[in-house]
Amino acid sequence: MSVANEWSRIEAWCRTHAPVTAAAFQPGLGDAVVEEFEASTGVTWPQELLELYRVHNGSLTHDDRTGLFLGSVLPDKFFYPIDVATEVRLTLLETWDETIYENPDLYAEDEMDRHDQRDAGTAATMFIPSFVPFAGLDEYHYFVDTRNGALHHCVTEYASDATDNGGPIWASISVMLGAHAAALETGSTIGVWKPVVSKGVLEWEVDA
């Protein structure tokens, strides 16, 4: 299983069944560009995160001219272009830096560093430098956990109202993509979400 292989399954399905959404996938980036953004975060990205951006640099969400929704491979989030991903990460870190500074009775000064030293998959109850988001919507984001340990490069959701307390959802990006590819190919659900297509646009509905 690899990011490229699982994306190829998703692309093949979308080209046939949801061509509008397929056309919204953005071209992948060269190694130098991906590595430059990786370096800007100060953490080492798992190979699958690097591969994700080499395959596709996120996707468009709406048509610039008409404003029409273009669909999404994910039920309730969108894949971020790499510049958006790093900007979202920086904003979340700055927010938590400020929160820690303003609440010395609740957080130790080195709170982030302490959580960064724990094993991947361990709840931090905040956003820490080892987290790299790659998809999201509003205040909800999927991130890769770059910390060491058995769950290194697992995918977890960060939410403003629950932080990362839900724990890892997928073992890796390729596992996540494989689950979504299977849902598309079989018409099955991802959690409560079922894929539907309307006028070439991939959308997701809650399966009653």
Side-chain angles (χ1 to χ4, degrees):
M1 180 176 285
S2 71
V3 168
N5 287 341
E6 301 313 313
W7 252 119
S8 68
R9 293 170 60 194
I10 291 171
E11 282 189 274
W13 188 92
C14 286
R15 282 197 301 269
T16 299
H17 302 282
V20 173
T21 300
F25 299 155
Q26 297 300 283
L29 303 172
D31 289 349
V33 175
V34 176
E35 290 167 7
E36 180 180 354
F37 277 97
E38 177 193 18
S40 74
T41 65
V43 296
T44 300
W45 292 9
Q47 285 301 310
E48 288 200 354
L49 183 58
L50 299 172
E51 187 179 3
L52 180 71
Y53 284 108
R54 290 170 182 148
V55 174
H56 283 300
N57 185 30
S59 60
L60 298 176
T61 60
H62 294 80
D63 185 285
D64 288 338
R65 182 176 59 84
T66 65
L68 292 176
F69 178 57
L70 301 176
S72 177
V73 170
L74 303 177
D76 57 348
K77 295 176 180 63
F78 300 98
F79 283 105
Y80 291 140
I82 198 168
D83 59 330
V84 174
T86 53
E87 181 179 349
V88 166
R89 176 180 177 273
L90 184 59
T91 298
L92 290 170
L93 288 174
E94 289 175 344
T95 297
W96 271 102
D97 272 333
E98 184 175 348
T99 298
I100 292 170
Y101 177 77
E102 292 179 348
N103 296 275
D105 53 328
L106 297 178
Y107 304 103
E109 187 176 349
D110 63 346
E111 193 86 20
M112 281 188 174
D113 292 336
R114 289 161 57 186
H115 285 294
D116 262 335
Q117 298 307 311
R118 303 176 74 186
D119 286 344
T122 305
T125 65
M126 62 175 56
F127 197 89
I128 59 176
S130 293
F131 296 167
V132 183
F134 63 89
L137 178 64
D138 297 329
E139 300 302 317
Y140 298 86
H141 315 275
Y142 283 149
F143 68 84
V144 173
D145 192 335
T146 69
R147 292 177 294 180
N148 295 322
L151 293 178
H152 173 64
H153 77 190
C154 64
V155 175
T156 303
E157 182 179 59
Y158 177 87
S160 60
D161 57 351
T163 64
D164 62 331
N165 283 333
I169 303 174
W170 292 283
S172 66
I173 292 175
S174 63
V175 171
M176 182 192 77
L177 292 175
H180 286 75
L184 296 177
E185 293 165 350
T186 63
S188 56
T189 59
I190 292 287
V192 300
W193 300 95
K194 184 174 183 177
V196 296
V197 175
S198 176
K199 297 181 180 179
V201 175
L202 171 59
E203 302 180 72
W204 299 79
E205 294 180 350
V206 174
D207 189 34

